[in-house]
Amino acid sequence: QVQLVESGGGLVQAGDSLRLSCAASGRSFSRYAMGWFRQAPGKEREFVAAIDWGGGVKLYADSVKGRFTISRDNAKNTVYLQMDSLKPEDTAVYYCAVGRYISRSPAYDYWGQGTQVTVSS
């Protein structure tokens, strides 16, 4: 059974940093792309960042470019999202996703349950 478990969310102040982790289990995802999406209250789920299976290709939403960094450790089946210079508008539930192809669209095969990130001003 495939399972994605996010961790690392929390309540921080504007300008602080957080590091999200997403551990995948149930199979190896070393040949899969991994991504992060977020959903704020009353808004649609939006793309944040994605990384291909080898880590050589990384995509970012314009709103987080230069502040967030995605990385992965295939030996641990884990993807990370380092979030720096957080802003109140980054407040959302963050979801990790795994799929065969790297994409900005939510066309991923597996999803985690999400972790809450709240940034106070």
Side-chain angles (χ1 to χ4, degrees), residues 9-55:
L11 171 62
V12 296
Q13 293 186 333
D16 286 349
S17 298
L18 277 176
R19 188 194 194 203
L20 304 184
S21 300
C22 174
S25 61
R27 62 168 297 168
S28 172
F29 290 104
S30 61
R31 294 287 179 172
Y32 280 64
M34 306 181 85
W36 288 95
F37 289 76
R38 66 186 182 187
Q39 187 166 19
K43 295 187 177 181
E44 294 185 353
R45 190 170 298 189
E46 66 173 359
F47 170 77
V48 176
I51 187 169
D52 73 339
W53 68 270

Side-chain angles (χ1 to χ4, degrees), residues 36-38 46-50 58-69 81 84-85 87 89-90 94 103-104:
W36 288 95
F37 289 76
R38 66 186 182 187
E46 66 173 359
F47 170 77
V48 176
K58 300 178 183 180
L59 302 177
Y60 294 97
D62 288 342
S63 59
V64 307
K65 197 173 295 182
R67 299 188 298 121
F68 291 10
T69 303
L81 186 68
D84 298 321
S85 302
K87 303 176 180 180
E89 51 263 44
D90 294 319
Y94 283 70
S103 174
R104 295 178 184 271

